[in-house]
Amino acid sequence: MKRKVVTLCGSVRFWNKIQEMSERLELENEYAVIGIIPHVMDRDLTEYEKDTLGELHRIKIDLSDAIFVVNVDGYIGESVKKEIEYAKQKGKEIFYLESAD
């Protein structure tokens, strides 16, 4: 059985929920999950670093069959909105933690 590859998208302010969903998707739904990295350095990212991380996340989406949006309380930030649009342009399936109506 070929497993679907899914990239997580969401605000790192919901890091605990992102980690929880990564585990659930892999163990309960049997997806291969590509995660995100938290911003752990005690400084603001430069514009170059932000651009680089954005580019790397788009590559992760390219490698995936789908994205899973971790939108706690319906929150979707600007960068995640861009990731969703990118996934749509690439014809990827899009799943949401909470309904995105």
Side-chain angles (χ1 to χ4, degrees), residues 6-7 9 57-58 60-62 64-69 79-96:
V6 64
T7 292
C9 299
H57 205 74
R58 288 187 296 277
K60 292 175 183 180
I61 292 170
D62 289 339
S64 299
D65 300 302
I67 66 169
F68 187 94
V69 180
S79 62
V80 175
K81 287 178 185 176
K82 290 177 186 175
E83 293 164 0
I84 293 167
E85 285 307 309
Y86 184 80
K88 285 180 182 177
Q89 291 171 3
K90 296 293 183 170
K92 306 296 180 174
E93 285 185 83
I94 302 172
F95 302 100
Y96 294 88

Side-chain angles (χ1 to χ4, degrees), residues 4 32 34 42 44 51 68 74 77:
K4 284 189 176 182
I34 300 175
D42 189 21
D44 290 332
D51 291 344
F68 187 94

Side-chain angles (χ1 to χ4, degrees), residues 24-68:
R24 279 189 178 179
L25 288 167
E26 288 197 338
L27 295 178
E28 296 173 17
N29 298 88
E30 299 183 350
Y31 290 106
V33 175
I34 300 175
I36 60 175
I37 61 166
H39 174 53
V40 295
M41 295 179 284
D42 189 21
R43 63 174 177 80
D44 290 332
L45 293 173
T46 66
E47 286 306 311
Y48 174 79
E49 290 169 329
K50 290 177 188 176
D51 291 344
T52 298
L53 291 175
E55 177 186 354
L56 293 171
H57 205 74
R58 288 187 296 277
I59 291 169
K60 292 175 183 180
I61 292 170
D62 289 339
L63 295 169
S64 299
D65 300 302
I67 66 169
F68 187 94

